[in-house]
Amino acid sequence: MPTETALRDSEPDAPTPAQLSILVDRALMSEEPDAELERLAKSGLLAQVYPEVSAMVGFGGQGQGHKDLWEHTKQVVAQTVAKREVRWAALFHDVGKVQTFAVERGKVTFHSHELVSARFFDRAARRSGMDESFRKHVRFLVRHLGYVEGYGGDWTDSAVRRAYRETAPFFDDLVELARADITTKHAHKRRQHQTRMDELELRARSIAAEDAKLPLLPKGLGSVLIESLSLTPGPRVGELMAELKRAVEAGDLPERAEPGVYVEYLRGRG
């Protein structure tokens, strides 16, 4: 985030986007971020620095067929852990819904809103001079929130493994953001949501721990490849083993299967 030096040395009547962003950051990291965000919205400062966010104010609610995005966003921010990246992601996680709102066959939809939200955040972050690593961290959380929220008990171990690996090293922050992204007043729905996130986290950690203990490919596979594919011992064998490992990590092949499974996979790829 920008430092406060520029804010102290600036002209009070001409704050830059970076300086205004500091005020939003302070609100997000306060003890009552929802109340502070509302204050910034009413003052007009939020619209000045982040019009993408202020566009949610008054969007949705009573009689509009979907929840009030601004009220939902403030509550999600307040429910997150007090980690800067997570709270900024919470602030922007639904901004794309304003642009992607549609009604199809009488049902409200927001197709690809995570992608749009991530793009909006990226533009806003560049405009206000956010640090690149911070910007990429938050953008990743906004872009991939729907991935972890889509978890269900019917996910295979391979699917959980893929989700864990594809979202590393931000998996923990994604789960924390997903935990906060529930604002229904129905207690049983909140419990179900938290239970799903607990289950995802537990399974992911358990699978990761097991994977760390065991090799992904069966012992002696290199020798089988040499014999079955008429190879000469050398770098090419190592390249094929690496290719097979990547396929296992991606969920395209099972772990520690019979060697013939991997031989056939390579033959099928020509």
Side-chain angles (χ1 to χ4, degrees):
M1 292 300 301
T3 66
E4 297 189 28
T5 303
L7 185 61
R8 291 196 301 268
D9 297 338
S10 66
E11 293 293 332
D13 59 340
T16 67
Q19 293 160 358
L20 292 175
S21 179
I22 293 172
L23 301 180
V24 178
D25 185 69
R26 288 175 179 169
L28 286 173
M29 298 308 296
S30 68
E31 293 185 359
E32 297 182 337
D34 49 347
E36 290 301 309
L37 287 171
E38 181 64 20
R39 181 179 65 80
L40 292 180
K42 289 182 176 179
S43 72
L45 185 147
L46 189 63
Q48 184 178 351
V49 64
Y50 294 126
E52 304 91 343
V53 175
S54 66
M56 293 189 292
V57 178
F59 188 84
Q62 190 68 31
Q64 295 189 38
H66 60 94
K67 61 193 172 189
D68 185 310
L69 286 187
W70 180 233
E71 293 303 319
H72 168 75
T73 296
K74 288 187 297 178
Q75 186 176 341
V76 172
V77 170
Q79 291 176 171
T80 63
V81 294
K83 182 173 182 179
R84 182 164 274 105
E85 291 86 353
V86 178
R87 288 201 169 171
W88 274 94
L91 180 63
F92 275 82
H93 81 285
D94 271 349
V95 294
K97 285 188 173 181
V98 177
Q99 179 173 309
T100 59
F101 169 80
V103 178
E104 300 176 356
R105 298 179 181 179
K107 183 178 180 180
V108 172
T109 64
F110 301 100
H111 295 310
S112 301
H113 80 272
E114 292 102 340
L115 178 59
V116 176
S117 296
R119 287 174 178 169
F120 278 167
F121 170 76
D122 200 56
R123 294 173 189 169
R126 292 176 185 274
R127 190 173 66 237
S128 52
M130 291 185 185
D131 176 79
E132 183 179 6
S133 62
F134 180 85
R135 174 178 58 80
K136 289 183 176 180
H137 188 147
V138 177
R139 187 185 192 284
F140 189 94
L141 298 183
V142 175
R143 175 67 183 88
H144 295 89
L145 175 59
Y147 190 4
V148 298
E149 287 189 331
Y151 170 76
D154 58 345
W155 277 27
T156 63
D157 284 353
S158 292
V160 174
R161 178 180 293 105
R162 180 184 299 180
Y164 183 74
R165 289 175 175 166
E166 290 183 355
T167 59
F170 306 123
F171 178 80
D172 290 345
D173 286 350
L174 274 173
V175 172
E176 289 295 344
L177 181 57
R179 290 185 191 281
D181 191 22
I182 179 74
T183 56
T184 178
K185 295 180 180 179
H186 299 289
H188 71 283
K189 291 184 178 180
R190 294 179 70 89
R191 286 194 299 270
Q192 289 174 352
H193 179 78
Q194 299 304 334
T195 297
R196 281 195 308 113
M197 293 302 101
D198 288 343
E199 184 179 286
L200 171 60
E201 185 173 30
L202 180 62
R203 288 185 65 189
R205 296 197 184 287
S206 176
I207 290 170
E210 289 301 315
D211 287 349
K213 296 177 183 178
L214 299 171
L216 296 179
L217 300 174
K219 186 177 180 179
L221 179 58
S223 297
V224 174
L225 295 183
I226 291 172
E227 181 179 350
S228 301
L229 301 177
S230 301
L231 300 173
T232 300
R236 180 54 181 162
V237 178
E239 292 173 359
L240 291 176
M241 292 287 285
E243 180 181 346
L244 291 172
K245 184 178 179 181
R246 288 193 296 270
V248 171
E249 291 175 341
D252 296 331
L253 282 172
E255 299 177 25
R256 297 176 291 280
E258 291 296 322
V261 172
Y262 305 105
V263 172
E264 289 305 312
Y265 175 82
L266 292 174
R267 283 176 173 163
R269 293 174 64 83

